[in-house]
Amino acid sequence: MDGTVILAPLAGGLAGACVGSFIATLALRTPEGWADMWTGRSRCRACHATLCVVDLVPLLSWLALRGRCRYCGAALGLWYPCVELAAAVIGGLSFAALPSPEAWIATVLGWWLLALATIDLVAWLLPDALTLPLVGAGLLLAAWGEPLLGFVPPTSLAGAAMGAAGGYLALAGIAFAYRRLRGREGLGLGDAKLLAAAGAWLGAERLPLIVLAAALLGLGLAVLQRRELRAETALPFGPALALAFWGGFVLAVLS
Ligand SMILES: [Zn+2]
């Protein structure tokens, strides 16, 4: 049996756990700004003890300490292990299911979308600094993915351009109409830019299915959280859209 069949997904999963640790911190620090991202040392949120290397090994430290701070015993919460596990699954699954250039692209796209989803959960925003480069990357891959990387994109450059414009206009139009009708914000323009990115990567023809899948996933997540659904219930649409986007990309590349 070819060793790379196991080694590549394993490496993708291990790298994912480390990237997930970074994404979890990035999302938590978004409300204060990313300026002290590189300087601030990791501390226990309860006793403020400075954490050392053995406390910060992705997933393993959390398991070894049974989810409690080594110094004060406070529960560490599920945020870090969940985000680390999600990033590990993205890396492992991409390299298990896809051949080489596609696996790399699916992994990086998945981690990027995980960052957007977690930031939306923590801070209720999808930063332009992350959504707009994703739109550009989708257009670049549609134009030069094949000659430069040997990657056959799921859509043509025309399909990607129409997808980006259509995705943005569809959600921006709904947001505008909602504001006029109800007098308050329904959807953020960050959601519109994320759907523009999905359109650029997957093509205009897949947009209706992505929106439908995201709406169903969003409702499913709300039911799982046992939220009472009323017209004014606020749901972060970003995480559901990010998941539908990544699933749509993997399925489009597989087919
Ligand atoms: Zn502590």
Side-chain angles (χ1 to χ4, degrees):
M1 191 169 154
D2 185 359
T4 56
V5 171
I6 296 169
L7 279 182
L10 192 67
L14 286 175
C18 299
V19 172
S21 193
F22 172 79
I23 291 173
T25 307
L26 181 82
L28 287 183
R29 294 200 180 169
T30 299
E32 303 111 67
W34 295 335
D36 61 348
M37 185 71 203
W38 306 104
T39 51
R41 304 232 8 216
S42 299
R43 290 171 184 281
C44 168
R45 296 205 149 214
C47 68
H48 303 289
T50 305
L51 303 178
C52 58
V53 177
V54 287
D55 301 319
L56 297 170
V57 182
L59 290 171
L60 294 182
S61 291
W62 194 92
L63 286 174
L65 297 168
R66 294 202 175 85
R68 301 203 161 270
C69 170
R70 172 200 303 281
Y71 308 98
C72 69
L76 296 172
L78 288 169
W79 178 255
Y80 272 88
C82 283
V83 178
E84 286 161 0
L85 190 63
V89 168
I90 287 167
L93 209 61
S94 298
F95 278 91
L98 303 172
S100 179
E102 286 82 3
W104 287 101
I105 293 167
T107 299
V108 174
L109 174 66
W111 290 341
W112 199 278
L113 289 169
L114 181 63
L116 278 164
T118 50
I119 288 170
D120 200 23
L121 283 175
V122 169
W124 291 86
L125 64 93
L126 296 166
D128 285 353
L130 291 178
T131 51
L132 296 183
L134 206 53
V135 178
L139 294 172
L140 285 176
L141 277 177
W144 290 304
E146 199 165 3
L148 287 183
L149 303 171
F151 165 72
V152 182
T155 186
S156 64
L157 181 57
M162 285 200 310
Y168 182 79
L169 290 175
L171 282 196
I174 291 172
F176 177 76
Y178 190 92
R179 205 159 49 233
R180 291 299 292 267
L181 286 172
R182 308 293 293 263
R184 57 190 164 79
E185 293 292 329
L187 275 165
L189 285 182
D191 294 311
K193 289 167 197 162
L194 182 55
L195 190 62
W201 280 70
L202 300 172
E205 66 274 21
R206 291 191 181 85
L207 277 179
L209 213 56
I210 297 290
V211 173
L212 180 67
L216 291 176
L217 283 167
L219 278 176
L221 287 174
V223 170
L224 275 181
Q225 294 178 326
R226 294 181 193 190
R227 291 229 206 137
E228 209 178 323
L229 289 183
R230 281 173 293 163
E232 57 274 13
T233 304
L235 301 169
F237 187 55
L241 189 51
L243 187 56
F245 182 170
W246 192 69
F249 177 78
V250 172
L251 289 178
V253 170
L254 274 175
S255 63

